[in-house]
Amino acid sequence: IMLQKKYRTIEENEVRYETLQCDDADYIIVAFGSAARLAQKAIEIARQQGIKVGLFRPITLWPFPKNEIREMAHGKKGILVAEINAGQMVYDVRLAVNGEERVEHFGRLGGIVPEPDEIVEALKQKLL
């Protein structure tokens, strides 16, 4: 019971994240680490093309900002989870939004870093 209380306290006080251009966004890209930096450029490119997209960047993966993602996603047309791994975070995002919003995945393995243009293309193909 003491550990459960400690975990609850951590979840209430230690969640860290940042957002970029989410207020007017129709779509959200969720990305962390190196993928978040690439997503920032992808957002710039997409907005130049008239696609309103923002970035939600979890800084802590535990505790995961599930409540904040759920609130951010409400009313959006879709979420693209961009990762440089096999797609572990996409499941956390899907759990957070609980089926209320469409969540798609774009990722690369083996140290292959995607170009920002590829993230924009994935957004178009999977969500638009």
Side-chain angles (χ1 to χ4, degrees):
I1 294 176
M2 287 176 47
L3 275 181
Q4 290 174 342
K5 183 178 178 183
K6 181 177 182 176
Y7 290 153
R8 265 194 310 277
T9 301
I10 291 169
E11 287 180 337
E12 290 169 3
N13 298 304
E14 301 298 328
V15 170
R16 294 180 53 218
Y17 66 95
E18 75 174 359
T19 62
L20 176 68
Q21 295 184 298
C22 290
D23 292 339
D24 70 337
D26 293 325
Y27 302 92
I28 301 293
I29 296 174
V30 178
F32 71 95
S34 299
R37 181 64 191 102
L38 297 165
Q40 285 180 339
K41 183 64 178 173
I43 288 166
E44 186 180 308
I45 294 166
R47 285 191 171 258
Q48 288 172 353
Q49 297 175 11
I51 304 166
K52 290 182 181 177
V53 60
L55 173 67
F56 187 101
R57 180 177 80 94
I59 296 170
T60 56
L61 297 180
W62 189 87
F64 191 71
K66 59 185 180 279
N67 295 330
E68 294 79 5
I69 286 177
R70 181 176 34 257
E71 289 173 22
M72 180 63 58
H74 185 70
K76 304 299 184 197
K77 295 180 180 178
I79 300 166
L80 180 70
V81 180
E83 301 182 72
I84 304 176
N85 59 39
Q88 291 88 335
M89 188 174 63
V90 70
Y91 298 108
D92 294 323
V93 175
R94 286 181 176 146
L95 283 170
V97 301
N98 196 28
E100 292 179 21
E101 309 301 336
R102 186 170 168 198
V103 177
E104 296 291 341
H105 177 259
F106 173 76
R108 291 287 161 81
L109 291 173
I112 301 171
V113 179
E115 294 290 326
D117 289 330
E118 292 177 285
I119 297 173
V120 174
E121 193 56 36
L123 178 75
K124 289 177 180 178
Q125 288 180 2
K126 294 173 182 265
L127 293 173
L128 271 61

